[in-house]
Amino acid sequence: MVRYNTNFLCVSVMALGILFVVFDMYHKKVVEGNKSSRVYLVGDSTFDNTPYVAKGKDVFSYIQKKNSRAILNAIDDSKISDVYRQLDLVNATDHDTIFISVGGNDILAREMTLEQLMVKYRKMLSYVKKGKVVLCDLYYPPQMKHLHSIIRKWNTFIHLFNEDYEIKKISETMVLPEHFTNIIEPSELGSVVMAETICPGESCNPNANQG
């Protein structure tokens, strides 16, 4: 009888130990993951359209309402080569998400062939060390139809990354003239559309429970 009680006690202690380990793993992965989940915006004025709209009506402001820990590293007029400096400021963990939208200004500058830009873009992606990376394709500004053909080729290139990265097709949501201001920048309405495309719903915590 004594031996039975002792065995029962040992089994109970082991079961409690297992439950504690499982709970601790859950806490670290889910609870702490939710707390630490941040969203980084990297790239050009697709994200940093603050110079072109009223205060609080920019893309980042709407994203920040969905995730108070969102961080804007994107800078207006940036090219692919500028993204390295922005990524240096990213202190991402495996729980965090990095949205990258860049390439439009490189296409506008016409300093390289499209093939050269693609090589440059691939190299830039390999610079990202941590975090979930989400790529954005380019929209088609209605007043710049002469560039639509080359943008379409660029977007085809971006979409080829879909096996390794999530792709946000802003080309399919930023489609109306009123979505733009200053010809190519997201307008106040465009900011709302951009934010909803990037982070649908009320919150923006796309990678909280991964890692």
Side-chain angles (χ1 to χ4, degrees), residues 80-81 84 112 116-124:
I80 296 171
S81 58
Y84 289 92
M112 295 183 176
Q116 289 173 323
L117 289 180
M118 290 175 180
V119 171
K120 200 171 183 179
Y121 189 91
R122 285 183 183 276
K123 184 178 179 181
M124 177 271 295

Side-chain angles (χ1 to χ4, degrees), residues 19-36 95 208-209:
L19 286 173
F20 177 79
V21 171
V22 171
F23 176 80
D24 188 57
M25 290 174 63
Y26 172 85
H27 183 272
K28 288 180 178 179
K29 186 174 182 179
V30 178
V31 179
E32 293 182 5
N34 285 338
K35 284 176 59 180
S36 65
H95 297 293
N209 297 331

Side-chain angles (χ1 to χ4, degrees), residues 78-85 102 106 120 124:
S78 289
K79 298 178 182 178
I80 296 171
S81 58
D82 299 312
V83 169
Y84 289 92
R85 290 192 293 273
V102 70
D106 296 87
K120 200 171 183 179
M124 177 271 295

Side-chain angles (χ1 to χ4, degrees), residues 54-81:
K55 185 176 181 181
K57 302 294 184 179
D58 57 285
V59 174
F60 177 64
S61 291
Y62 287 111
I63 292 291
Q64 201 171 35
K65 290 178 182 178
K66 296 168 177 276
N67 185 327
S68 62
R69 302 195 70 198
I71 298 171
L72 178 65
N73 285 4
I75 300 175
D76 178 28
D77 206 35
S78 289
K79 298 178 182 178
I80 296 171
S81 58

Side-chain angles (χ1 to χ4, degrees), residues 33 36-42 47 60 63 67 69-73 87 90-100 128 130-136 165-168 198-200 204-211:
S36 65
S37 181
R38 288 169 294 188
V39 170
Y40 291 90
L41 303 183
V42 171
F47 292 147
F60 177 64
I63 292 291
N67 185 327
R69 302 195 70 198
I71 298 171
L72 178 65
N73 285 4
L87 289 173
V90 171
N91 185 27
T93 69
D94 290 334
H95 297 293
D96 301 327
T97 303
I98 305 168
F99 290 94
I100 299 178
V128 183
K130 275 199 170 185
K132 174 186 176 182
V133 175
V134 178
L135 308 180
C136 297
Y165 302 95
E166 182 180 349
I167 310 294
K168 293 293 185 179
I198 295 167
C199 290
C204 187
N205 216 13
N207 200 28
N209 297 331
Q210 297 183 22

